[in-house]
Amino acid sequence: MASSGGDNCTLCYDDDETSTEAVTWCTECEVLLCTGCEKHHTKSKASKDHKTMSTKAYHNLPTFMKDISSQCRDHKMKFELYCSLHACPCCVQCITDNHKKCQDLKPLSDILKQVKSSASVQLFEKDLKNVKENLEEIIKYLKSRMNTNHSQKTKAAQQIRSMRKSMDDFLNKLEQKILDDLELKHTQLKSKMNALLQQLKTQDNQINQLQSDFSKMTQYATELQMYVGLREIEKTTSEAAKYIDELKSGDQFGGKELRGYTYQTVLVDTEKKKVIQTIQLSDDCSGVASDS
């Protein structure tokens, strides 16, 4: 693999540490060559048949392929055979050390012959294409689902806000209805109590008049007038006392006219046509909510 420091000729740098721009990569020697070294490389018997590529083409190789060497890293010898059992290239020393019992050993040159035009390459290309298309389809589907989910979330949020508004409107109307009914009952009660008050004032005036009459009677009336007058005062006083007892026993002062009412309503899920909750409000301002 070439040095990551730049495209300098490997041979020039190893010789005298000269930094000369490289133009070629030898795939078998695994070195970068400048223009001068490349000429010697192509004329040498040992390397004239080596395959080379431009440094630009070399850098177009995937990173993991640049790490693939034609020499055994363990024995520093060139790969010459291929073990089908272990699916790996082997040098001569590898055979001795690790592949003595392996039967299916083939020359590496035969394995690599026309590899780029083989059916397996075309099959791999097709498989890669299928995988890529499947991934793109899945990505497209997921993006579609994400958009759908976002739309559903937006719609759900709108429905929640709409439901909240409907509940607010309903509760506002219910509140106004209760307040209106309360006002009506209060008005009716006030009217009754005013009438009662007038009756009591009349009774009070009658008693005041009797007190005045009684005082004059004791001073100026004859015995007969006194006797008859006392019977009349007793009758009127008895009626007044009975009237007061009736008022008390009838609890006219307890305010029951504003008590004893109850309002009940329900919240309904219109889509499912189902009662969600029942709300009950009593005259003592206590509320009870029960789930359906």
Side-chain angles (χ1 to χ4, degrees):
M1 179 178 176
S3 171
S4 59
D7 291 339
N8 293 322
C9 177
T10 306
L11 299 183
C12 290
Y13 186 81
D14 290 344
D15 186 32
D16 56 7
E17 297 187 355
T18 301
S19 298
T20 309
E21 183 182 3
V23 294
T24 304
W25 168 259
C26 177
T27 60
E28 297 188 42
C29 297
E30 296 182 355
V31 293
L32 288 165
L33 302 170
C34 63
T35 304
C37 291
E38 181 188 18
K39 291 180 181 179
H40 293 294
H41 187 267
T42 55
K43 291 179 180 180
S44 172
K45 284 186 178 181
S47 57
K48 66 179 181 179
D49 294 327
H50 288 186
K51 294 181 179 180
T52 61
M53 66 173 67
S54 67
T55 53
K56 182 178 180 180
Y58 170 75
H59 286 299
N60 282 333
L61 287 172
T63 302
F64 78 94
M65 287 191 173
K66 293 178 184 178
D67 292 332
I68 300 174
S69 175
S70 61
Q71 292 186 353
C72 175
R73 293 183 178 179
D74 294 331
H75 305 112
K76 308 302 179 185
M77 299 175 66
K78 187 176 180 179
F79 288 129
E80 295 185 13
L81 298 170
Y82 185 83
C83 177
S84 299
L85 178 64
H86 296 96
C88 65
C90 309
C91 68
V92 175
Q93 191 61 43
C94 287
I95 303 300
T96 303
D97 293 347
N98 304 313
H99 299 273
K100 287 181 179 180
K101 297 182 180 180
C102 297
Q103 300 296 322
D104 195 9
L105 291 170
K106 298 179 181 178
L108 184 61
S109 58
D110 292 347
I111 298 296
L112 301 180
K113 192 179 298 182
Q114 297 180 338
V115 65
K116 289 187 177 182
S117 60
S118 65
S120 61
V121 171
Q122 296 177 9
L123 181 61
F124 289 146
E125 183 179 14
K126 182 180 179 181
D127 289 344
L128 283 172
K129 182 180 178 182
N130 290 337
V131 170
K132 186 176 186 300
E133 289 176 351
N134 288 333
L135 286 173
E136 288 176 347
E137 190 67 26
I138 293 172
I139 291 171
K140 181 180 178 182
Y141 171 77
L142 285 178
K143 286 182 176 179
S144 174
R145 288 299 307 156
M146 290 173 68
N147 290 333
T148 301
N149 290 341
H150 180 73
S151 298
Q152 290 174 340
K153 173 231 169 186
T154 301
K155 183 179 179 181
Q158 291 174 345
Q159 291 176 339
I160 291 171
R161 284 190 286 269
S162 177
M163 181 183 295
R164 171 60 187 270
K165 185 178 183 303
S166 297
M167 292 173 67
D168 287 344
D169 292 343
F170 174 80
L171 291 174
N172 288 336
K173 291 178 180 178
L174 179 60
E175 177 189 22
Q176 191 59 50
K177 182 180 182 300
I178 295 173
L179 290 173
D180 290 344
D181 191 62
L182 179 63
E183 183 64 29
L184 176 62
K185 288 181 179 294
H186 174 263
T187 301
Q188 292 173 345
L189 177 60
K190 184 178 179 181
S191 176
K192 289 181 180 180
M193 294 183 74
N194 281 330
L196 179 60
L197 182 60
Q198 289 302 119
Q199 293 176 12
L200 289 171
K201 285 181 177 180
T202 300
Q203 290 287 337
D204 186 53
N205 290 335
Q206 290 177 354
I207 297 300
N208 286 336
Q209 184 62 46
L210 284 177
Q211 284 179 328
S212 176
D213 292 345
F214 180 80
S215 178
K216 293 177 181 180
M217 183 179 66
T218 57
Q219 294 180 29
Y220 307 111
T222 66
E223 295 296 330
L224 178 60
Q225 290 173 331
M226 186 73 174
Y227 179 80
V228 174
L230 287 174
R231 300 285 78 77
E232 289 295 326
I233 290 175
E234 182 184 12
K235 179 181 178 182
T236 304
T237 304
S238 177
E239 290 177 353
K242 182 180 179 182
Y243 176 71
I244 292 172
D245 289 339
E246 288 176 352
L247 289 177
K248 289 181 178 180
S249 63
D251 200 13
Q252 296 294 325
F253 308 107
K256 284 193 173 180
E257 287 79 357
L258 280 179
R259 303 181 66 81
Y261 60 86
T262 300
Y263 294 97
Q264 179 172 301
T265 188
V266 293
L267 299 179
V268 180
D269 186 335
T270 55
E271 291 186 0
K272 296 183 178 179
K273 297 181 179 179
K274 177 182 178 183
V275 174
I276 301 174
Q277 197 171 63
T278 300
I279 300 175
Q280 182 172 295
L281 182 65
S282 300
D283 59 334
D284 59 357
C285 295
S286 64
V288 177
S290 59
D291 295 331
S292 174

